[in-house]
Amino acid sequence: MLHLTLRQLKVFEAAARHSSYSRAAEHLHLTQPAVSMQIRQLEEVIGLPLFDQLGKKIYLTEAGKELQRYGRNILQQLEDAESVFNDMKGLRQGKLAISVATTASYFMPQLLGQFNQRFPGITISLNVTNREMLLNQLSHNEMDMAIMGQPPAGLDLEAQSFMENPLVIIAPATHPLAQESAIPLARIQQETFLVRERGSGTRVAMERFFSAQGIHLTTGTEMSTNEAIKQAVQAGMGLGILSLNTIALELETQRLVVLDVQSFPIRRHWYVVHRQGKRLSTVAQTFKSFLLEGHAQPK
Ligand code: PGA
């Protein structure tokens, strides 16, 4: 019998699917050396190379193609078994009501989509609002759970982090600072910043950061959505500070750039939050585990 592990098989499957160790690593929340190591061990167990490397690209060898075929069957069988057990646990149907911070609405639908594929019978309701409203809803126990930046201490809440949420400074690609590196914090005091509304977690984090650094920012127009800030920054109304999670498209199309400012990004995390001692439904508990176990990976 081949002494390989399911973990090695999953890592191999991801590398084969993406034709890249680094993308597989990203997808699985692993480092690239961890992925290469698992594949090397797998090659040792099998006694044949699984990938050929040509420049930056990797290609499946004949043995790799065979393993991909068998591996898919094995993983599929396991998923089938999981869904039989899920039915037994009552996950065939049910409801999940979650509220998320505005900024989290950029990736939560993707995560909910992945969850929904596993549990197609579950009806999901997603409410999008800002941090202040979330805290309000949590105190009234109005939903299964909330997804937000770090909640304040002392509110009787249980909060666990599941994903990074770096805040970055954005500018139009034509901005003079776009070409500079290691820009000192003091330099950005000369710029005007567009800010999110009061009650936004992004805004709170930004204000805390600058006051701790003793920096006074000139704030321009206040806007209540990330979209409005992105548009206004593109239109040259000022710079913005937003979560990296919200600007993937604009960075790809180079409508916006992230400035290389010292002490940036502001490091934050996304938390799954509910009232302490809340009795979670099986569906809610399953979703929470889905997030915490790192299955969640926005594309
Ligand atoms: P928000 O983001 O700015 O959309 O409220 C929540 C957070 O980062 O805490």
Side-chain angles (χ1 to χ4, degrees):
M1 220 313 233
L2 281 174
H3 278 289
L4 52 82
T5 66
L6 281 175
R7 179 152 188 82
Q8 288 166 343
L9 214 48
K10 276 192 189 157
V11 170
F12 166 77
E13 194 279 327
R17 185 156 36 95
H18 293 289
S19 301
S20 149
Y21 288 178
S22 58
R23 264 191 286 152
E26 227 173 81
H27 189 77
L28 297 167
H29 288 301
L30 293 172
T31 60
Q32 185 173 336
V35 168
S36 333
M37 193 177 75
Q38 298 272 353
I39 305 259
R40 232 184 2 257
Q41 286 171 351
L42 201 50
E43 291 180 325
E44 269 165 32
V45 171
I46 292 176
L48 290 166
L50 297 169
F51 291 103
D52 279 332
Q53 182 138 18
L54 285 179
K56 277 196 163 177
K57 282 209 87 149
I58 53 168
Y59 298 89
L60 284 169
T61 59
E62 277 307 306
K65 284 182 192 155
E66 284 298 328
L67 184 65
Q68 187 180 36
R69 201 161 56 81
Y70 283 107
R72 272 190 193 147
N73 281 336
I74 293 169
L75 296 173
Q76 183 60 49
Q77 293 264 320
L78 274 177
E79 270 177 33
D80 291 351
E82 189 187 18
S83 76
V84 169
F85 297 132
N86 286 338
D87 284 355
M88 291 179 173
K89 287 190 277 186
L91 285 167
R92 202 200 307 244
Q93 53 190 14
K95 288 200 169 76
L96 176 68
I98 60 173
S99 284
V100 307
T102 325
T103 302
S105 68
Y106 284 81
F107 60 84
M108 277 314 284
Q110 288 175 30
L111 301 187
L112 287 169
Q114 290 168 24
F115 185 69
N116 195 232
Q117 264 179 2
R118 284 193 183 198
F119 306 109
I122 293 175
T123 314
I124 299 171
S125 91
L126 173 70
N127 174 249
V128 181
T129 183
N130 74 15
R131 174 187 174 84
E132 195 170 278
M133 286 302 295
L134 282 178
L135 290 172
N136 202 353
Q137 291 177 359
L138 278 166
S139 72
H140 291 99
N141 206 6
E142 281 174 11
M143 74 311 241
D144 288 318
M145 64 189 85
I147 306 297
M148 63 189 300
Q150 181 145 29
L155 278 191
D156 231 13
L157 296 174
E158 195 175 314
Q160 284 155 288
S161 75
F162 67 94
M163 205 175 108
E164 290 189 3
N165 175 23
L167 301 189
V168 294
I169 302 190
I170 53 166
T174 49
H175 195 281
L177 288 179
Q179 308 304 330
E180 292 190 22
S181 45
I183 303 162
L185 269 182
R187 167 65 183 84
I188 63 168
Q189 290 186 106
Q190 297 165 26
E191 303 290 326
T192 301
F193 279 79
L194 304 164
V195 290
R196 283 280 307 274
E197 79 285 9
R198 290 195 180 283
S200 137
T202 308
R203 166 92 174 244
V204 172
M206 174 196 117
E207 285 179 348
R208 275 208 201 120
F209 173 83
F210 285 109
S211 92
Q213 301 279 344
I215 298 275
H216 177 76
L217 276 198
T218 312
T219 49
T221 319
E222 192 176 292
M223 303 189 177
S224 62
T225 67
N226 294 313
E227 279 314 302
I229 293 193
K230 291 195 276 183
Q231 296 292 339
V233 170
Q234 282 176 49
M237 284 175 73
L239 302 182
I241 297 183
L242 292 183
S243 163
L244 192 56
N245 298 142
T246 66
I247 51 171
L249 268 184
E250 287 76 10
L251 292 182
E252 212 171 288
T253 52
Q254 293 176 355
R255 294 198 178 160
L256 291 172
V257 293
V258 171
L259 294 186
D260 179 10
V261 178
Q262 283 175 8
S263 306
F264 266 81
I266 302 177
R267 295 190 187 283
R268 303 187 74 218
H269 286 90
W270 290 111
Y271 289 78
V272 48
V273 187
H274 53 76
R275 293 229 329 223
Q276 208 134 44
K278 182 177 172 68
R279 216 180 242 267
L280 293 180
S281 66
T282 310
V283 173
Q285 186 55 54
T286 308
F287 183 64
K288 184 174 169 182
S289 310
F290 167 81
L291 293 178
L292 296 179
E293 283 163 15
H295 294 299
Q297 175 62 39
K299 305 247 158 42

